[in-house]
Amino acid sequence: MKNLLLQFVVLLCTTALCVANYEHEHTATYWNDQAQARLQKQLLRRTNTGVAKNVILFLGDGMSIPTLTAARTHLGQRNGNAGEETELSFEKFPYVGLSKTYCVDKQVADSACSATAYLGGVKANKDTVGVTAAVKRGDCDAMNDVSNHVQSVAHYSQLKNKRTGIVTTTRVTHASPAGVYAHTAERDWESDTDVTLAGKNPKTCLDSTVQLVHGETGKKLNVIFGGGRRKFLPMFETDEDGKMGNRLDNRNLINEWKQLKANTTHAYVSDRNSLLNIADGTEYSLGLFDNGHMSYNLERDSNKQPSLEEMTIKAIELLSNGKEGFFLFVEGGLIDKAHHDNKARLALDETIEFHKAIEAAVKMTNETDTLILVTADHAHTMTLNGNENRGHDVLGLGGLAVDLLQYTTLSYGTGPGYKPNKDGRRHDVSKDDLTSNDYGYPTIAPLLSATHGGDDVGIFASGPWSHLITSVVEQNLIAHVINFASCTGERTTACEN
């Protein structure tokens, strides 16, 4: 019923009913006044050179610039407006830059090498996490050489007695969150089974889950919220949903985490209600809400799985109890997953959920002492095509091509959305159900999973030293800005400056 209502609202915006919403834009006065108001706001802006007691890094996985444009438009249309004029919460931040996301060895980044860059300050090879480019993919010996390890901003925050945490809608051992705590030559080594299948020894090539529970940085994380229970549990042992574990070593790493925290106030939770009821004074919290990745918001059982916004709110509440401040990493990971399947409707909704989490964080913190950064690890190949009128459903048809067949406003460069026709003509998308959450938007080249995009991604910043985020920069600068602003790390900081 909720989806039908949203579709009805968007349908209204494709008619003349939405025109009335921007008739006031027909005058020069409107645009001049709007620009002058923004100019005055810019003139009143003062740089904040205080110390960032708290830092929150929001990562929209695969959140390209076109994704932002389409998501803000879709959000506005959900609310009965034309949509194009809408702003996402973080688009109101005072400082914006662009991040160059390539890996050391690849033109287009993955979530592993990019996590090492924005969390560790060092660019790396594709598919490696928390190590320098001296480590090639799958090289266990090089990965175990500590001289090749790249420490994250969370690690340096812990050295300053700050509380630290990760929140994600993917598995907590997936590539992006692993950048907080892991050092591995292969992003897919999330359990000992994964290492064994790669022909390596899991006793020497430690998987990411073991590093999360027992590693130098992982074991000190105060908050861990996301999915991925199977990477913690033995094969043939079932989780709370009756699904099997993935480990061959017969270790239950959830129980090991509990044992390590036995002398502290701690909580392990596996559903939404338990998350919301974690006591405020709890020092360590582990929340695993799915056997694998968490469900898309539009498919989520809200009685079992919390939203990204709810996990973020709880994490900030728990981390704020630390006297020295905190560092929190929050990933909207399913934006990327939906894009890989060319499921644009799901990708845009996940971006809107990401926007809600950031909006909540802004309300809970103070920009005088909290640095909030919002960025993406890499882009995707989704694009917006013309030439429909203002207010036209961004998830709908885009117009008629010279072959007299319709095209969609959104389409992809690669992926499973490719639909061949036996007669050699282009597929007729007007016959498709574009209102389905599972609809795969058209692509140029057929692939089982869409590739990432190589275009630059945005960085949005608010709080102490946020003015350092300007122009086009290498992605690894982000970690250096965080360390500088929060007086952590091994290089020059705001405190020394």
Side-chain angles (χ1 to χ4, degrees), residues 258-441:
K258 291 178 183 177
Q259 291 165 6
L260 287 171
K261 304 297 185 285
N263 296 323
T264 69
T265 55
H266 66 281
Y268 166 69
V269 296
S270 60
D271 59 66
R272 177 178 179 270
N273 188 58
S274 298
L275 169 82
L276 299 179
N277 286 290
I278 295 176
D280 186 57
T282 304
E283 189 176 0
Y284 294 97
S285 299
L286 172 63
L288 299 175
F289 306 106
D290 198 285
N291 190 259
H293 295 320
M294 293 178 67
S295 300
Y296 289 116
N297 173 64
L298 290 176
E299 301 172 353
R300 175 173 60 93
D301 182 348
S302 59
N303 291 319
K304 295 179 63 176
Q305 290 193 8
S307 67
L308 181 62
E309 178 184 9
E310 290 170 333
M311 291 191 290
T312 301
I313 289 172
K314 177 56 71 171
I316 293 173
E317 289 174 348
L318 294 170
L319 296 176
S320 295
N321 292 323
K323 295 181 180 179
E324 303 302 323
F326 65 82
F327 169 78
L328 174 62
F329 174 75
V330 180
E331 181 195 23
L334 300 183
I335 302 170
D336 175 73
K337 185 173 182 289
H339 274 323
H340 276 301
D341 291 336
N342 299 148
K343 295 179 179 179
R345 186 175 294 274
L346 291 175
L348 300 193
D349 183 76
E350 290 299 318
T351 306
I352 291 170
E353 289 299 298
F354 185 64
H355 135 86
K356 291 178 183 177
I358 297 165
E359 190 171 45
V362 169
K363 291 178 180 177
M364 294 180 70
T365 57
N366 192 322
E367 65 177 347
T368 60
D369 68 355
T370 301
L371 173 64
I372 299 181
L373 298 174
V374 181
T375 191
D377 46 357
H378 53 73
H380 260 280
T381 64
M382 189 193 81
T383 187
L384 281 81
N385 308 302
N387 285 315
E388 285 295 337
N389 292 333
R390 174 87 175 272
H392 179 77
D393 182 5
V394 73
L395 286 163
L397 297 172
L400 201 65
V402 294
D403 58 4
L404 302 182
L405 292 173
Q406 293 276 355
Y407 59 88
T408 51
T409 299
L410 302 181
S411 61
Y412 288 83
T414 62
Y418 182 84
K419 298 177 180 68
N421 253 14
K422 292 181 180 179
D423 61 5
R425 298 191 73 205
R426 193 164 55 87
H427 174 72
D428 187 355
V429 293
S430 68
K431 296 179 180 179
D432 295 344
D433 180 11
L434 273 62
T435 65
S436 170
N437 292 337
D438 287 327
Y439 180 70
Y441 279 75

Side-chain angles (χ1 to χ4, degrees), residues 123-177:
K123 287 216 171 193
N125 294 324
K126 185 175 181 288
D127 296 305
T128 67
V129 180
V131 291
T132 69
V135 179
K136 306 300 182 184
R137 184 180 184 185
D139 189 341
C140 188
D141 291 336
M143 140 188 167
N144 287 329
D145 184 345
V146 294
S147 68
N148 293 330
H149 286 188
V150 174
Q151 300 295 347
S152 74
V153 291
H155 171 80
Y156 291 118
S157 294
Q158 291 172 353
L159 294 180
K160 294 291 186 177
N161 296 317
K162 293 177 180 287
R163 291 198 172 194
T164 53
I166 57 175
V167 171
T168 181
T169 47
T170 68
R171 295 187 298 270
V172 296
T173 51
H174 208 234
S176 301

Side-chain angles (χ1 to χ4, degrees), residues 50 85 93 111 113 155 192 249 272 284 332 336 344 371 426 443 450:
E85 71 293 330
F93 283 10
S111 295
C113 77
H155 171 80
D192 69 309
D249 56 13
R272 177 178 179 270
Y284 294 97
D336 175 73
L371 173 64
R426 193 164 55 87
T443 73

Side-chain angles (χ1 to χ4, degrees), residues 8-174:
F8 178 69
V9 169
V10 170
L11 178 63
L12 290 181
C13 280
T14 65
T15 70
L17 293 179
C18 264
V19 175
N21 290 337
Y22 56 90
E23 283 183 346
H24 57 287
E25 298 179 8
H26 293 181
T27 67
T29 300
Y30 167 80
W31 293 106
N32 288 328
D33 289 349
Q34 180 215 52
Q36 284 297 311
R38 184 58 181 258
L39 176 61
Q40 293 304 314
K41 185 177 180 180
Q42 301 284 75
L43 290 171
L44 291 173
R45 181 181 295 168
R46 296 292 180 267
T47 55
N48 181 346
T49 56
V51 174
K53 178 181 179 181
N54 311 311
V55 176
I56 309 176
L57 175 57
F58 282 94
L59 191 282
D61 200 317
M63 191 178 68
S64 60
I65 299 297
T67 301
L68 295 179
T69 305
R72 81 166 79 103
T73 304
H74 184 51
L75 175 61
Q77 292 176 349
R78 281 184 178 185
N79 295 328
N81 299 313
E84 293 84 357
E85 71 293 330
T86 305
E87 285 184 301
L88 298 172
S89 55
F90 51 93
E91 292 178 324
K92 302 173 185 176
F93 283 10
Y95 298 99
V96 180
L98 289 174
S99 169
K100 297 162 67 176
T101 62
Y102 64 92
C103 306
V104 168
D105 63 337
K106 295 291 182 179
Q107 190 174 68
V108 178
D110 77 322
S111 295
C113 77
S114 52
T116 308
Y118 62 75
L119 284 164
V122 175
K123 287 216 171 193
N125 294 324
K126 185 175 181 288
D127 296 305
T128 67
V129 180
V131 291
T132 69
V135 179
K136 306 300 182 184
R137 184 180 184 185
D139 189 341
C140 188
D141 291 336
M143 140 188 167
N144 287 329
D145 184 345
V146 294
S147 68
N148 293 330
H149 286 188
V150 174
Q151 300 295 347
S152 74
V153 291
H155 171 80
Y156 291 118
S157 294
Q158 291 172 353
L159 294 180
K160 294 291 186 177
N161 296 317
K162 293 177 180 287
R163 291 198 172 194
T164 53
I166 57 175
V167 171
T168 181
T169 47
T170 68
R171 295 187 298 270
V172 296
T173 51
H174 208 234

